[in-house]
Amino acid sequence: HPGILRRRAAGNRPAGIETLKGHVIICGYGRIGQSLAVEMDHARQKFLIVDNSGDRITKAQDRGYLTLLGNAADEHVLLSAGIEHARFLATVLPDDASNVFITLTARGLNPNLIILARGEYPSTENKLKLAGADHVVLPATIGAQRMAHMITHPAALDFLEQSEGGRTLNELLSGLDVQVDELAIPHDSPLVGGPLSNVEIKGQGSFIVVAVRRATGETITRPDHTLNILGGDTLIVMGRRGDIPKFAQTFALKRQLRYRGSSL
């Protein structure tokens, strides 16, 4: 009975997990899981690591990460990880069959969860999607950094994937010290009501606005400079690495706070 499962799982939760909401569950703390955890930590994204190896769990705990010892394919373990309140799950085990099973189990427990799954072989991609994965990552071509970008820059990701070859565009830009980022505009921002041209002027030419995502979910690509900024907008900008965070801090804007599947 689902209610019994929830009560049993909640009783076994390590301290700290019960307060998590909107967090990321990382299933597997191997090479990819470790890299992903580092990226999540740098992005200040709440996350929990689930692994069935005591040695790997100890290694994660030594880095100060929140952990849960157990098999992520077990629904009791996923319930203990707070899957009902999680926003993302990344299953990054080196075994494709395990990732498929974890995806199936997780999708059944939380239909609204965004699932990112690792696949070792291209032939597994379709199986993972049929199992309920929203995105499949082939580490040989993309890796943990790509998965982290899916989580922390969802609006920018949607924009990039509209064009062919968008899957690797941001990685190529990073090699040129250029990045695509997001700026969430609060309703009390001094930028609200003004044209997009004000943003680029105040940014002193350090970046350009390439798209605007409205609070309704509508995405405006190649927006006109006269377009008025509304509270709740997310500006997708392209500029030099380091300049965008400085601009956001100056104008008290929020970065990386928009997630696919959230209420807008």
Side-chain angles (χ1 to χ4, degrees), residues 153-202:
H153 296 74
L157 177 70
D158 286 340
F159 169 72
L160 289 174
E161 290 187 341
Q162 289 177 7
S163 60
E164 185 177 357
R167 292 182 177 275
T168 57
L169 176 58
N170 211 52
E171 286 83 357
L172 292 173
L173 291 174
S174 66
L176 301 173
D177 202 33
V178 175
Q179 68 182 50
V180 174
D181 210 337
E182 306 170 23
L183 296 176
I185 308 297
H187 289 277
D188 59 353
S189 169
L191 298 173
V192 172
L196 280 181
S197 57
N198 282 353
V199 176
E200 295 181 358
I201 291 172
K202 293 180 184 299

Coordinates of all heavy atoms in Angstrom, one line a residue, residues 153-202:
H153 N 20.3 25.4 -16.0 CA 20.0 26.4 -17.0 C 18.9 25.9 -18.0 O 19.0 25.8 -19.2 CB 21.2 26.7 -17.9 CG 22.3 27.4 -17.2 ND1 23.1 26.7 -16.3 CD2 22.8 28.7 -17.2 CE1 24.0 27.5 -15.8 NE2 23.8 28.7 -16.3
P154 N 17.7 25.5 -17.4 CA 16.7 24.9 -18.3 C 16.1 25.8 -19.3 O 15.9 25.4 -20.5 CB 15.6 24.5 -17.3 CG 15.8 25.4 -16.1 CD 17.3 25.7 -16.0
A155 N 15.9 27.1 -19.1 CA 15.4 28.0 -20.1 C 16.3 28.2 -21.2 O 16.0 28.2 -22.4 CB 15.0 29.3 -19.5
A156 N 17.6 28.4 -20.9 CA 18.6 28.5 -21.9 C 18.8 27.2 -22.7 O 19.0 27.2 -23.9 CB 20.0 28.9 -21.3
L157 N 18.6 26.1 -22.0 CA 18.7 24.8 -22.7 C 17.6 24.7 -23.7 O 17.8 24.2 -24.9 CB 18.6 23.7 -21.7 CG 18.6 22.2 -22.3 CD1 20.0 21.9 -22.8 CD2 18.2 21.2 -21.2
D158 N 16.3 25.1 -23.4 CA 15.2 25.0 -24.3 C 15.5 25.8 -25.5 O 15.2 25.4 -26.7 CB 13.9 25.5 -23.6 CG 13.4 24.6 -22.6 OD1 13.7 23.4 -22.7 OD2 12.6 25.0 -21.8
F159 N 16.1 27.0 -25.3 CA 16.4 27.9 -26.4 C 17.5 27.3 -27.3 O 17.3 27.3 -28.6 CB 16.9 29.2 -25.9 CG 17.5 30.1 -27.0 CD1 16.7 30.7 -28.0 CD2 18.8 30.4 -27.1 CE1 17.2 31.5 -29.0 CE2 19.4 31.2 -28.0 CZ 18.6 31.7 -29.0
L160 N 18.5 26.7 -26.7 CA 19.6 26.1 -27.5 C 19.1 25.0 -28.4 O 19.6 24.8 -29.5 CB 20.8 25.7 -26.6 CG 21.6 26.8 -25.9 CD1 22.5 26.2 -24.9 CD2 22.3 27.7 -27.0
E161 N 18.2 24.1 -27.8 CA 17.8 22.9 -28.5 C 16.8 23.2 -29.6 O 16.4 22.3 -30.3 CB 17.3 21.9 -27.5 CG 18.3 21.4 -26.6 CD 17.8 20.2 -25.7 OE1 16.6 20.2 -25.5 OE2 18.6 19.5 -25.2
Q162 N 16.4 24.4 -29.8 CA 15.5 24.8 -30.9 C 16.2 24.7 -32.2 O 15.6 24.5 -33.3 CB 14.9 26.2 -30.7 CG 13.9 26.2 -29.6 CD 13.4 27.6 -29.4 OE1 13.7 28.5 -30.2 NE2 12.7 27.9 -28.3
S163 N 17.6 24.8 -32.2 CA 18.3 24.8 -33.5 C 19.2 23.5 -33.5 O 19.6 23.0 -32.5 CB 19.2 26.0 -33.5 OG 20.1 26.0 -32.5
E164 N 19.4 23.1 -34.7 CA 20.2 21.9 -34.9 C 21.6 22.1 -34.4 O 22.2 23.1 -34.7 CB 20.2 21.5 -36.4 CG 21.0 20.2 -36.7 CD 20.9 19.8 -38.2 OE1 20.3 20.6 -38.9 OE2 21.5 18.8 -38.5
G165 N 22.2 21.2 -33.7 CA 23.5 21.3 -33.1 C 23.5 22.0 -31.8 O 24.6 22.3 -31.2
G166 N 22.4 22.4 -31.3 CA 22.3 23.1 -30.0 C 22.8 22.3 -28.8 O 23.2 22.9 -27.8
R167 N 22.8 21.0 -29.0 CA 23.2 20.2 -27.8 C 24.7 20.5 -27.4 O 25.1 20.2 -26.3 CB 23.1 18.7 -28.2 CG 21.6 18.3 -28.3 CD 21.5 16.8 -28.6 NE 20.2 16.4 -28.7 CZ 19.4 16.0 -27.7 NH1 19.9 16.1 -26.5 NH2 18.2 15.7 -27.8
T168 N 25.5 20.9 -28.3 CA 26.9 21.1 -28.0 C 27.3 22.6 -28.1 O 28.5 22.9 -27.8 CB 27.8 20.3 -28.9 OG1 27.6 20.7 -30.2 CG2 27.6 18.8 -28.7
L169 N 26.4 23.5 -28.4 CA 26.7 24.9 -28.6 C 27.3 25.5 -27.4 O 28.3 26.2 -27.4 CB 25.5 25.7 -29.1 CG 25.6 27.2 -29.2 CD1 26.7 27.5 -30.2 CD2 24.3 27.8 -29.7
N170 N 26.7 25.3 -26.2 CA 27.1 26.0 -25.0 C 28.5 25.5 -24.6 O 29.3 26.3 -24.1 CB 26.2 25.8 -23.8 CG 26.2 27.0 -22.9 OD1 26.0 28.1 -23.3 ND2 26.4 26.7 -21.6
E171 N 28.8 24.2 -24.8 CA 30.1 23.7 -24.5 C 31.2 24.3 -25.4 O 32.3 24.7 -25.0 CB 30.2 22.2 -24.7 CG 29.5 21.4 -23.6 CD 28.0 21.3 -23.8 OE1 27.5 21.9 -24.7 OE2 27.3 20.7 -22.9
L172 N 30.8 24.5 -26.7 CA 31.7 25.2 -27.6 C 32.0 26.7 -27.2 O 33.1 27.2 -27.3 CB 31.2 25.2 -29.1 CG 31.1 23.8 -29.7 CD1 30.4 23.8 -31.0 CD2 32.5 23.2 -29.9
L173 N 30.9 27.3 -26.8 CA 31.0 28.7 -26.4 C 31.9 28.9 -25.2 O 32.7 29.8 -25.1 CB 29.6 29.3 -26.1 CG 28.7 29.5 -27.3 CD1 27.3 30.0 -26.8 CD2 29.3 30.5 -28.2
S174 N 31.8 27.9 -24.2 CA 32.6 27.9 -23.0 C 34.1 27.9 -23.3 O 34.9 28.5 -22.6 CB 32.3 26.8 -22.1 OG 32.6 25.5 -22.6
G175 N 34.5 27.2 -24.4 CA 35.9 27.2 -24.8 C 36.4 28.5 -25.3 O 37.6 28.7 -25.4
L176 N 35.4 29.4 -25.7 CA 35.8 30.7 -26.2 C 35.6 31.7 -25.0 O 35.6 33.0 -25.3 CB 34.9 31.1 -27.4 CG 35.0 30.2 -28.6 CD1 34.0 30.6 -29.6 CD2 36.4 30.3 -29.2
D177 N 35.4 31.3 -23.8 CA 35.2 32.1 -22.7 C 33.8 32.9 -22.8 O 33.7 34.0 -22.3 CB 36.3 33.1 -22.4 CG 36.3 33.6 -21.0 OD1 36.0 32.8 -20.1 OD2 36.7 34.8 -20.8
V178 N 32.9 32.3 -23.5 CA 31.6 32.9 -23.7 C 30.6 31.9 -23.2 O 30.8 30.7 -23.3 CB 31.3 33.2 -25.2 CG1 29.9 33.7 -25.4 CG2 32.3 34.2 -25.7
Q179 N 29.5 32.4 -22.6 CA 28.5 31.4 -22.1 C 27.1 32.0 -22.3 O 26.9 33.2 -22.6 CB 28.7 31.2 -20.6 CG 28.3 32.5 -19.7 CD 28.6 32.2 -18.3 OE1 29.6 31.7 -17.9 NE2 27.6 32.5 -17.5
V180 N 26.1 31.0 -22.3 CA 24.7 31.4 -22.4 C 24.2 31.2 -21.0 O 24.4 30.2 -20.3 CB 23.9 30.5 -23.4 CG1 22.4 30.8 -23.3 CG2 24.4 30.7 -24.8
D181 N 23.5 32.2 -20.5 CA 23.0 32.2 -19.1 C 21.6 32.7 -19.0 O 21.0 33.2 -20.0 CB 24.0 33.0 -18.2 CG 24.0 32.5 -16.8 OD1 23.1 31.8 -16.3 OD2 25.0 32.7 -16.1
E182 N 21.0 32.7 -17.8 CA 19.7 33.2 -17.6 C 19.6 34.2 -16.5 O 20.4 34.2 -15.5 CB 18.7 32.0 -17.1 CG 18.7 30.8 -18.0 CD 18.0 29.7 -17.3 OE1 17.2 29.9 -16.4 OE2 18.3 28.5 -17.7
L183 N 18.8 35.2 -16.7 CA 18.5 36.2 -15.7 C 17.0 36.3 -15.4 O 16.3 36.6 -16.3 CB 19.0 37.6 -16.2 CG 20.5 37.8 -16.4 CD1 20.8 39.2 -17.0 CD2 21.3 37.6 -15.1
A184 N 16.6 35.9 -14.2 CA 15.2 36.0 -13.9 C 14.9 37.4 -13.3 O 15.6 37.9 -12.4 CB 14.9 34.9 -12.8
I185 N 13.9 38.0 -13.9 CA 13.6 39.4 -13.5 C 12.5 39.4 -12.4 O 11.3 39.1 -12.7 CB 13.1 40.2 -14.7 CG1 14.1 40.1 -15.9 CG2 12.8 41.7 -14.4 CD1 15.4 40.7 -15.6
P186 N 12.8 39.8 -11.2 CA 11.8 39.9 -10.2 C 10.8 41.0 -10.5 O 11.1 41.9 -11.3 CB 12.6 40.2 -8.9 CG 14.0 39.9 -9.2 CD 14.1 40.2 -10.7
H187 N 9.6 40.9 -9.9 CA 8.5 41.9 -10.2 C 8.9 43.3 -9.7 O 8.4 44.3 -10.2 CB 7.2 41.5 -9.6 CG 6.6 40.3 -10.3 ND1 5.8 40.4 -11.4 CD2 6.7 38.9 -10.0 CE1 5.5 39.2 -11.8 NE2 6.0 38.3 -11.0
D188 N 9.8 43.4 -8.7 CA 10.2 44.7 -8.1 C 11.5 45.2 -8.7 O 12.1 46.1 -8.2 CB 10.3 44.6 -6.6 CG 11.4 43.6 -6.2 OD1 11.9 42.8 -7.0 OD2 11.7 43.5 -4.9
S189 N 12.0 44.6 -9.8 CA 13.2 45.0 -10.4 C 13.1 46.4 -11.1 O 12.0 46.6 -11.7 CB 13.7 44.0 -11.5 OG 14.7 44.5 -12.3
P190 N 14.1 47.2 -11.0 CA 14.0 48.5 -11.7 C 14.0 48.4 -13.2 O 13.7 49.4 -13.9 CB 15.3 49.2 -11.2 CG 16.2 48.1 -10.8 CD 15.3 47.1 -10.2
L191 N 14.3 47.2 -13.7 CA 14.3 47.0 -15.2 C 12.9 46.8 -15.7 O 12.7 46.9 -16.9 CB 15.2 45.8 -15.5 CG 16.7 45.9 -15.2 CD1 17.4 44.5 -15.4 CD2 17.3 47.0 -15.9
V192 N 11.9 46.4 -14.8 CA 10.6 46.1 -15.3 C 9.9 47.4 -15.9 O 10.0 48.5 -15.3 CB 9.7 45.6 -14.1 CG1 8.2 45.5 -14.5 CG2 10.2 44.3 -13.6
G193 N 9.3 47.2 -17.0 CA 8.6 48.3 -17.7 C 9.5 49.0 -18.7 O 9.0 49.7 -19.6
G194 N 10.8 48.8 -18.7 CA 11.7 49.4 -19.6 C 12.0 48.4 -20.8 O 11.7 47.2 -20.8
P195 N 12.6 48.9 -21.9 CA 12.9 48.1 -23.0 C 14.1 47.3 -22.8 O 14.9 47.5 -21.9 CB 13.1 49.2 -24.1 CG 13.7 50.3 -23.4 CD 12.9 50.4 -22.1
L196 N 14.2 46.2 -23.6 CA 15.4 45.3 -23.5 C 16.7 46.1 -23.8 O 17.8 45.7 -23.2 CB 15.3 44.2 -24.6 CG 14.4 43.0 -24.2 CD1 14.5 42.0 -25.4 CD2 14.9 42.4 -22.9
S197 N 16.7 47.2 -24.6 CA 17.9 47.9 -24.8 C 18.5 48.5 -23.6 O 19.7 48.6 -23.5 CB 17.6 49.1 -25.8 OG 16.5 49.9 -25.3
N198 N 17.7 48.7 -22.5 CA 18.2 49.2 -21.3 C 19.1 48.2 -20.6 O 20.1 48.6 -20.0 CB 17.1 49.6 -20.3 CG 16.4 50.9 -20.6 OD1 16.9 51.6 -21.5 ND2 15.3 51.2 -19.9
V199 N 18.8 46.9 -20.8 CA 19.6 45.9 -20.1 C 21.0 45.8 -20.8 O 22.0 45.8 -20.1 CB 18.9 44.5 -20.3 CG1 19.8 43.4 -19.8 CG2 17.6 44.5 -19.6
E200 N 21.0 45.9 -22.1 CA 22.3 45.8 -22.8 C 23.1 47.1 -22.5 O 24.4 47.0 -22.4 CB 22.1 45.6 -24.3 CG 21.5 44.2 -24.5 CD 21.3 43.9 -26.0 OE1 21.6 44.8 -26.8 OE2 20.8 42.8 -26.3
I201 N 22.5 48.2 -22.4 CA 23.2 49.5 -22.1 C 23.8 49.4 -20.7 O 24.9 49.8 -20.5 CB 22.2 50.7 -22.3 CG1 21.8 50.9 -23.7 CG2 22.9 52.0 -21.7 CD1 20.7 51.9 -23.9
K202 N 23.0 49.0 -19.8 CA 23.5 48.9 -18.4 C 24.5 47.8 -18.3 O 25.4 47.9 -17.4 CB 22.3 48.6 -17.4 CG 21.3 49.8 -17.3 CD 20.2 49.4 -16.4 CE 19.1 50.5 -16.3 NZ 19.6 51.8 -15.9

